[in-house]
Amino acid sequence: MLGDFDLAEEAVQDAFLVALEVWPARGLPRNPGAWITTTARNKAIDRIRRARRLEDKVRELETLLPAEEADEIEDSSIPDDRLRLIFTCCHPALAPEARVALTLRTLGGLQTPEIARAFLTSEQAMQQRLVRAKRKIRDARIPYVVPPDHELPDRLGSVLAALYLIFNEGYAATADEALVRRELCAEAIRLTRVLRGLMPDEPEVAGLLALMLLQDSRRDARTGPDGELVLLDQQDRGRWDRGEIDEGLALVGRLPAGFYALQAAIAAEHARAPSPAATDWVRIAFLYDLLAGVAPGPVVELNRAVAVAFAEGEERGLELMAGLDAELGDYHLLYSARADLLRRLGRDEEAAEAYARALELTRQPTERAFLLRRLAEVTEPPTEGP
């Protein structure tokens, strides 16, 4: 209605405050959503009037939502309110990265630093990107309405990217005290299930759901009794969720190669292995080769290097990582992965440097505690014999 994200956010916050004051005394309105929308619209008009500007816009706003229409809901085949809004926010008039970033900030529960990490950019650069996107919506008067059904496939790629990044932030939090933000993982899985019901023939929807389920199945085993990080090869596989694994494996078996389907296939290899030693690293490295062909990028190359290190040896993995510094110079997982390979080779001094750099680049307490322990292992002087 307003064509301005900042004004809309401020108006809705005003409406929430009024609801907190009014609803306890008068009870819930018949249609709380419509009540919030109408109140927010009125608060937006008040804000514009108080600023004594854009009087023509005030008159325009007064005609946008007559009171008698407030209870009407737009027709849409999307059965979930939040998913409907995600499709709305992934507007094709914006650049793909801008529309996904704005969706994460507005609807995904992510803050700007978390979105910046997801896009491998600085917080300042991401903040500027979000400001530009909001300005474009306002200045170009881009209409934000629930898209009709025939437009949904054009927005699907951005919707999948948004759900994928919401899950990723839940799976490995940027700076939260806990390593896993379970509420984000659960909501991303829920929304992807709804999306699969809406688009059952879209293979990448099934691929994303399979990937989420297989990754989430390890949730309880990823941290120890004191909240410490437990790496994949040290996890108690008896704590993995077999229900999620079985559901994920059933989906993976019949998917064509795609960005999410290939990642799900990699996760499936880990899920099938009864022990770390039984993991088929040769096949995982091959799947990363395919993924690099579908969606080339430095993070994929880093993961491929790790897989090759387990399949062919640590030295080969280090060779593949050597060319990634230019693109991943501020990515802590590059340095922690490199440090681990160096530690395995007994090159403790170089490993210590890499662990120290990884520590500089992460704020997540659980990851920092793990890196500090590993740094201590490679810097402690050897104990002398009797």
Side-chain angles (χ1 to χ4, degrees), residues 65-337:
L65 187 65
E68 63 269 20
E69 296 180 9
D71 289 343
E72 293 185 6
I73 299 175
E74 296 156 308
D75 291 332
S76 173
S77 64
I78 305 173
D80 182 87
D81 282 343
R82 179 167 292 188
L83 187 60
R84 189 181 304 128
L85 289 171
I86 289 174
F87 268 101
T88 301
C89 206
C90 289
H91 200 289
L94 299 175
E97 285 194 357
R99 74 181 76 141
V100 173
L102 193 58
T103 302
L104 294 174
R105 184 68 184 87
T106 309
L107 296 165
L110 274 65
Q111 301 301 313
T112 303
E114 298 161 351
I115 302 170
R117 186 186 78 153
F119 284 92
L120 299 180
T121 189
S122 68
E123 184 176 345
Q124 181 180 6
M126 180 52 64
Q127 183 63 46
Q128 292 172 348
R129 187 177 299 175
L130 291 168
V131 169
R132 286 194 298 269
K134 291 179 180 180
R135 186 184 300 127
K136 180 175 181 178
I137 292 165
R138 183 193 65 211
D139 294 347
R141 295 179 176 270
I142 296 172
Y144 259 57
V145 294
V146 178
D149 289 355
H150 70 271
E151 292 183 6
L152 299 184
D154 293 336
R155 303 190 184 201
L156 179 61
S158 296
V159 171
L160 291 174
L163 296 176
Y164 173 67
L165 294 176
I166 291 170
F167 180 86
N168 283 355
E169 177 60 28
Y171 185 76
T174 299
D176 200 73
E177 284 297 318
L179 176 67
V180 179
R181 295 175 63 181
R182 294 176 181 240
E183 77 285 357
L184 289 182
C185 292
E187 181 66 356
I189 291 173
R190 185 189 73 80
L191 290 170
T192 307
R193 285 191 189 280
V194 174
L195 185 56
R196 174 148 169 77
L198 181 67
M199 298 180 166
D201 297 325
E202 288 287 348
E204 280 292 77
V205 177
L208 180 57
L209 179 58
L211 172 62
M212 289 179 177
L213 290 169
L214 292 169
Q215 296 288 69
D216 192 62
S217 70
R218 303 196 295 266
R219 180 187 61 230
D220 291 339
R222 293 181 62 225
T223 53
D226 297 322
E228 70 276 15
L229 175 64
V230 180
L231 296 183
L232 179 62
D233 62 351
Q234 298 170 337
Q235 290 174 13
D236 177 0
R237 301 187 177 215
R239 298 183 65 196
W240 290 3
D241 187 321
R242 294 307 312 180
E244 287 190 315
I245 290 174
D246 291 343
E247 184 181 357
L249 291 178
L251 289 168
V252 168
R254 53 178 182 270
L255 294 178
F259 178 65
Y260 301 108
L262 285 169
Q263 291 182 78
I266 292 166
E269 289 299 322
H270 292 295
R272 293 189 184 102
S275 67
T279 304
D280 189 346
W281 284 105
V282 172
R283 176 159 177 77
I284 290 173
F286 169 71
L287 290 169
Y288 272 118
D289 285 339
L290 295 179
L291 183 60
V294 170
V299 174
V300 173
E301 291 299 331
L302 173 60
N303 290 327
R304 175 175 169 271
V306 172
V308 170
F310 279 98
E312 302 178 19
E314 291 86 354
E315 292 285 3
R316 178 59 180 146
L318 289 170
E319 290 175 12
L320 294 174
M321 289 182 190
L324 298 176
D325 292 73
E327 293 179 278
L328 297 179
D330 293 327
Y331 190 56
H332 77 282
L333 293 178
L334 169 62
Y335 298 97
S336 62

